[in-house]
Amino acid sequence: MSLFLDAANGANTPRPPIWIMRQAGRYLPEYRALKERYSFWELCRTPELAAEITLQPIRRFGLDAAILFQDIMTPLPPMGLEIDFIPGPVFKTPVRDAEAVEKLVIPDRDEIAPYVAEAIRLIRAESPVPLIGFGGAPLTLATYAVQGGGSKDYDEFRQFLRYAPETAHALLEKLTEVSVRYLKLQVDAGAQAIQLFDSWAGLHDARTYREFAKPYNTRIFEALEDYGVPRLYIAVDALHLYGEIKDLPCEVVSVDWRTPLSQVRPLLPGKVLQGNLDPAVLLAPEKVMKEEAERVLRAGLGGPHIFNLGHGIMRQTYPERVTQLVQVVRAFDRTEVAERV
Ligand code: CP3
């Protein structure tokens, strides 16, 4: 076993394991060097490159888990959606009506992304730490597919949910089925945990979440039940949804930086908490960063904890800060501090 898998399965480990959302990416010079030679999709679709990028932060920092280098958009082009990255995803033709949903293909499992299975096998052969696979939650994938790309308030998508709820459900159905196939493919290839990214769930009120997100997330997690891998979930800015999220059949909930873990703990009984340093704190001076990281470590006491940021690492972050952060987390002794409290 490993510190990460132990904590993800509910153990109160002597210190929390640490990994970082978006730990592979543009803040690393070795990633930028590859990005100069290849497009984002080329990096994703070439198993050797995807494996290399996944392992870059592992070699550099001594993190406790690797996360597969791909994007939540990876399974969508085989459904018939053309997507460019500039640098966020942009859909050539957004999905706006029943006919467009009807046309979406549900590919066979082995046609979704064979290169992902190959990348996972390459990573497993080399990685000293467990590998986390991942996918986008159906509501978040639908948000991008309907809006057509990133947006300030996702107005098109939120209008679509109200004008065409049945079409929205048909779209969510298809995205759920493809996600289940895609995540099973990752676990079969060797992924040792799965995180579902529901980045935009927090836009909605609890009623809307209950109708358009919860049943689909539940189905995905239930489909993975027999695979025996820990299931992780993140919704950002979603404190108002924890009354629903607490029921999801997953082991771990990742919490953003807005609320201390000690306040979240009673809202999510039985869940492992992951998080939740503000990514902006990695832009602060070393001393400030250390104090803030220790505050998160102490707030995480009282139950199983996986240390992470509250959302993805920022592009301007100095890699050195991550080195220092890993040192702080590794030096923390949960048993000792718990006795002192
Ligand atoms: O965490 C990792 O290191 C694994 C790789 C990973 C990427 N995207 C690579 C990537 C993961 C886990 C994701 C998830 C993802 N992608 C999410 C969910 C997490 C979140 O942030 O809420 C979302 C919403 C996306 C969609 C997406 N892809 C966006 C919004 C962007 C632009 C990001 C930005 O910072 O501008 C991307 C592109 C992307 N995905 C990059 C990387 C490394 C940058 C591409 C580049 O190099 O130009």
Side-chain angles (χ1 to χ4, degrees):
M1 281 299 253
S2 78
L3 204 60
F4 169 76
L5 291 175
D6 286 349
N9 283 312
N12 252 313
T13 48
R15 70 159 172 93
I18 172 171
W19 69 280
I20 289 177
M21 282 186 273
R22 295 272 179 102
Q23 64 192 26
R26 284 173 297 179
Y27 75 107
L28 288 179
E30 56 270 40
Y31 172 81
R32 291 197 302 269
L34 285 174
K35 190 66 206 304
E36 271 173 25
R37 293 166 54 201
Y38 303 96
S39 72
F40 184 69
W41 276 131
E42 281 172 330
L43 295 177
C44 289
R45 290 171 180 165
T46 312
E48 293 74 17
L49 293 172
E52 166 59 24
I53 295 170
T54 301
L55 293 168
Q56 283 176 346
I58 302 305
R59 293 193 193 110
R60 204 190 241 269
F61 302 120
L63 297 155
D64 295 305
I67 180 159
L68 176 69
F69 180 78
Q70 284 297 324
D71 196 81
I72 59 169
M73 304 302 156
T74 296
L76 302 190
M79 296 181 75
L81 295 166
E82 214 177 298
I83 303 167
D84 276 340
F85 281 91
I86 29 184
V90 176
F91 286 64
K92 190 168 176 215
T93 314
V95 176
R96 293 277 165 83
D97 54 29
E99 201 189 329
V101 173
E102 186 66 35
K103 273 207 268 182
L104 292 176
V105 179
I106 300 187
D108 283 345
R109 204 190 105 118
D110 295 331
E111 282 163 20
I112 299 175
Y115 54 87
V116 165
E118 186 52 27
I120 290 174
R121 284 189 282 271
L122 294 173
I123 297 161
R124 283 298 309 275
E126 268 199 56
S127 177
V129 291
L131 175 66
I132 305 168
F134 73 92
L139 184 72
T140 287
L141 295 175
T143 306
Y144 282 103
V146 173
Q147 188 74 29
S151 148
K152 191 163 69 69
D153 52 13
Y154 293 94
D155 50 348
E156 289 283 351
F157 180 64
R158 288 154 78 193
Q159 182 177 36
F160 177 81
L161 284 184
R162 275 77 192 195
Y163 263 84
E166 281 164 24
T167 308
H169 279 298
L171 172 60
L172 291 162
E173 278 288 334
K174 284 190 156 179
L175 292 168
T176 300
E177 180 53 34
V178 173
S179 297
V180 166
R181 293 181 189 193
Y182 176 55
L183 294 170
K184 286 184 173 176
L185 173 138
Q186 292 183 45
V187 179
D188 282 337
Q192 291 149 288
I194 286 294
Q195 178 154 318
L196 202 59
F197 284 93
D198 212 350
S199 310
W200 297 111
L203 274 177
H204 308 281
D205 66 5
R207 256 187 71 245
T208 308
Y209 184 87
R210 223 162 25 240
E211 176 172 355
F212 293 102
K214 193 176 184 181
Y216 301 103
N217 293 338
T218 300
R219 256 167 57 193
I220 290 176
F221 285 133
E222 280 176 350
L224 294 171
E225 180 102 55
D226 293 343
Y227 283 64
V229 295
R231 297 159 292 181
L232 294 73
Y233 178 75
I234 177 166
V236 183
D237 208 353
L239 188 63
H240 61 293
L241 300 177
Y242 283 179
E244 307 299 327
I245 289 171
K246 73 172 175 22
D247 304 329
L248 292 178
C250 62
E251 284 67 33
V252 183
V253 175
S254 206
V255 177
D256 78 41
W257 64 91
R258 294 171 179 86
T259 316
L261 295 178
S262 51
Q263 282 181 39
V264 170
R265 184 88 60 196
L267 307 178
L268 296 171
K271 300 293 190 208
V272 178
L273 298 187
Q274 177 172 273
N276 68 345
L277 186 69
D278 184 341
V281 165
L282 285 183
L283 308 179
E286 183 181 357
K287 184 167 168 290
V288 175
M289 183 278 287
K290 283 187 170 167
E291 283 165 11
E292 292 296 320
E294 274 164 9
R295 195 192 311 281
V296 170
L297 286 161
R298 284 193 300 273
L301 292 168
H305 178 207
I306 298 169
F307 195 97
N308 207 316
L309 304 184
H311 201 179
I313 191 166
M314 292 172 171
R315 179 175 14 166
Q316 317 88 301
T317 307
Y318 291 126
E320 196 192 355
R321 280 286 176 283
V322 177
T323 308
Q324 294 156 353
L325 174 63
V326 171
Q327 280 168 4
V328 175
V329 176
R330 285 187 169 252
F332 188 75
D333 183 343
R334 302 186 93 213
T335 47
E336 208 178 276
V337 177
E339 278 162 21
R340 269 198 273 128
V341 170

